[in-house]
Amino acid sequence: MGALFSMCAVMGTWCVCASVASVFSACCGNDKASTVAPGATSGRRRSVLLLVLSVAVAFGFQYGVAPELYNSTVAPSYLVDAWSSGCEDYATDELRERCAGHAGAYRAAGTATVFFLAAAIAAACKPTANRDAWPAKYFLFLVACAATIFIPNDPLFSKIYLYIAMIGAIIFVLFQQLILIDVAYNWNESWVAKANALEEEKPGTGRKWLGALLACCLFLLIGSIVAWVIMYVYFTGCPDNEAFITITVVMSVLVTVAQLSGEEASLLTTCIVIAYATFLCFTAVSKNPDGECNPKLGEDNVLGIVLGIGFTFLSLAWTGWSFTAESRVQGRGSRGPVSLHESHPDASEENRVTGVVMNSSNYQSTQDDTEDVDHDLPADAEEENVNSKSFGNSWKLNVILALVCCFYAMALTNWGSIDSGADSANPDTGKASMWMIIAGEWVVLTLYLWTLVAPRLFPDRDFS
């Protein structure tokens, strides 16, 4: 029996080690030969893994190293002074310790920001640089993070990088809103185009796509209404939350009326924007540090700390992964261009998708681009021509990740606010974060409303 258990233990250990080795090989190694041309998202998994690593280091510096150094009586005086510099003007020990913790997060985020910007320059000069030498890159990143421990907070982290991160985070927030509106329009375009393509093959077969479109509209709209009711029930009791929820409802009704009264967009696009705005509103009210109107605040105990840090960690990792998808790096929205002529070369002009589908020029440009390709070229030459178009996009992956680093630096430090900062159980809670998120919601609703009313206000201009 003992031999059987020993054999099972050895086999289990071998499986675990093999799995870990496989994961590290996929994340750290180069999975393509040097002769294979890089795409727009070459090195994406490894880059996002480094982003996740930097978030983990930021948490460690903010809630581990900073409190230990600040309260330590045995640590070298130089380290204590370095992590306390720039924090002397705060009135209480709690605020000074929080200031040191924020600077710890800036150390990791700043190192990652510099790394990704350097990687972007390298990828612009040499496209294959983004998928080479990743073990060395991880090692150098960790060494750089360790070196920042000995650098004083002031002025590099608590002033210079703080303002750089604010600007980068604002750019990223605006980028989020533009991406969302583009995704909403493109989703509607794609499904209507598929419905029309099936109708051309056999009348009546396209109804399933239109039915799916209508079902998504109902799901998103009903879900938003339910969320409004939940927020009114559980997150009211203070003026800020009540105003945020009411403005969200009013603006959602306003964009719906504007869309239904014209032909500039579709109901699906409107429902997507409303659902996203509702999500942002819930996120904003759940970041309100006032416990009277925020039942979501976690307790400052072991479970609350684990849940708070874990949720924030996963959400930041998902942000980095989702915003580096190839369709977004190459600026195509949520999908690639759809051309009905690919499957229906004889389709007539009048059968092309129009009306509720916005930016129909995208379909025309796809056809034109296809016609511009010289089909008489050899296969290797044509492949080289296609791959060369993605060479110039590989650096964008790193620029986006640099902006994500700026964003998470602000998210973890309540946009640099010390007096109303978060604790380890609620790492991203605070007045500043709350106002930035609700401002992002108002931006996306205002931008979408502008896409609806602008063609009516200026009919002589082309808004496609």
Side-chain angles (χ1 to χ4, degrees):
M1 183 63 69
L4 179 61
F5 279 122
S6 299
M7 183 177 67
C8 293
V10 170
M11 293 178 62
T13 303
W14 181 85
C15 291
V16 171
C17 293
S19 300
V20 171
S22 177
V23 170
F24 274 94
S25 176
C27 293
C28 300
N30 189 351
D31 58 352
K32 294 183 177 62
S34 59
T35 56
V36 179
T41 57
S42 289
R44 179 190 178 201
R45 288 179 300 175
R46 301 159 183 82
S47 298
V48 175
L49 179 62
L50 191 140
L51 172 71
V52 171
L53 180 62
S54 73
V55 175
V57 174
F59 273 122
F61 280 177
Q62 184 174 10
Y63 295 109
V65 176
E68 287 295 326
L69 284 177
Y70 185 80
N71 299 310
S72 175
T73 57
V74 296
S77 59
Y78 175 78
L79 284 180
V80 176
D81 293 340
W83 282 67
S84 302
S85 65
C87 303
E88 299 87 353
D89 296 335
Y90 292 101
T92 65
D93 287 339
E94 180 184 1
L95 293 180
R96 287 191 287 270
E97 181 179 329
R98 185 178 295 162
C99 172
H102 285 194
Y106 298 150
R107 283 172 164 82
T111 303
T113 302
V114 172
F115 173 88
F116 286 123
L117 290 178
I121 296 173
C125 298
K126 181 187 177 184
T128 57
N130 209 43
R131 70 183 189 198
D132 295 335
W134 273 102
K137 291 177 182 178
Y138 287 126
F139 176 75
L140 290 176
F141 171 75
L142 292 175
V143 169
C145 287
T148 62
I149 294 176
F150 303 95
I151 302 175
N153 298 340
D154 191 35
L156 182 59
F157 300 112
S158 59
K159 291 182 180 178
I160 296 176
Y161 181 71
L162 172 60
Y163 293 119
I164 292 175
M166 281 185 177
I167 295 173
I170 291 173
I171 294 174
F172 180 75
V173 169
L174 294 176
F175 177 70
Q176 279 183 309
Q177 316 316 322
L178 293 175
I179 285 289
L180 183 278
I181 294 177
D182 185 56
V183 167
Y185 274 119
N186 288 337
W187 185 353
N188 180 76
E189 288 179 10
S190 177
W191 283 19
V192 174
K194 290 176 180 178
N196 286 2
L198 289 177
E199 285 292 331
E200 291 178 0
E201 289 183 351
K202 183 178 180 181
T205 55
R207 293 179 180 176
K208 62 180 182 180
W209 284 106
L210 298 179
L213 190 149
L214 181 59
C216 286
C217 291
L218 292 174
F219 175 78
L220 293 172
L221 190 58
I222 294 174
S224 299
I225 295 174
V226 171
W228 297 341
V229 173
I230 292 175
M231 285 189 286
Y232 269 121
V233 172
Y234 293 103
F235 289 88
T236 53
C238 52
D240 290 343
N241 283 10
E242 293 173 357
F244 295 162
I245 301 169
T246 302
I247 292 174
T248 300
V249 174
V250 171
M251 292 192 70
S252 297
V253 173
L254 186 60
V255 296
T256 303
V257 172
Q259 181 269 313
L260 294 176
S261 61
E263 298 180 355
E264 287 75 21
S266 70
L267 185 59
L268 176 62
T269 307
T270 301
C271 291
I272 294 172
V273 172
I274 290 175
Y276 180 68
T278 303
F279 165 75
L280 290 180
C281 181
F282 175 79
T283 305
V285 298
S286 65
K287 292 186 184 300
N288 194 330
D290 188 348
E292 294 183 0
C293 55
N294 186 5
K296 192 174 175 288
L297 287 178
E299 297 181 3
D300 196 5
N301 52 33
V302 175
L303 180 60
I305 291 172
V306 171
L307 293 177
I309 291 179
F311 178 79
T312 305
F313 184 84
L314 292 176
S315 63
L316 290 173
W318 173 248
T319 299
W321 178 257
S322 61
F323 275 86
T324 54
E326 183 173 4
S327 58
R328 297 185 178 183
V329 173
Q330 295 202 28
R332 297 198 310 261
S334 62
R335 57 169 181 84
V338 178
S339 176
L340 300 183
H341 296 272
E342 293 178 1
S343 56
H344 302 279
D346 298 329
S348 59
E349 183 71 22
E350 56 270 15
N351 286 332
R352 193 174 294 178
V353 180
T354 56
V356 295
V357 180
M358 296 295 296
N359 300 328
S360 59
S361 58
N362 289 344
Y363 299 98
Q364 180 65 38
S365 63
T366 304
Q367 181 192 18
D368 295 339
D369 293 342
T370 305
E371 292 173 353
D372 289 341
V373 177
D374 188 355
H375 297 284
D376 295 331
L377 288 174
D380 295 340
E382 185 174 344
E383 181 179 358
E384 182 178 355
N385 182 44
V386 173
N387 286 331
S388 64
K389 296 180 180 179
S390 67
F391 284 177
N393 289 326
S394 59
W395 61 270
K396 296 180 182 179
L397 169 76
N398 294 290
V399 173
I400 293 174
L401 288 173
L403 293 177
V404 174
C405 290
C406 295
F407 173 76
Y408 89 66
M410 294 296 95
L412 294 183
T413 61
N414 193 28
W415 290 80
S417 175
I418 304 295
D419 295 334
S420 58
D423 54 35
S424 54
N426 306 280
D428 54 352
T429 299
K431 286 284 186 180
S433 294
M434 177 186 73
W435 279 103
M436 288 302 301
I437 291 173
I438 202 64
E441 180 210 334
W442 295 341
V443 167
V444 71
L445 287 171
T446 303
L447 285 175
Y448 180 60
L449 183 62
W450 172 253
T451 65
L452 297 176
V453 301
R456 307 178 203 178
L457 298 176
F458 306 100
D460 56 333
R461 297 185 183 180
D462 182 15
F463 289 92
S464 60

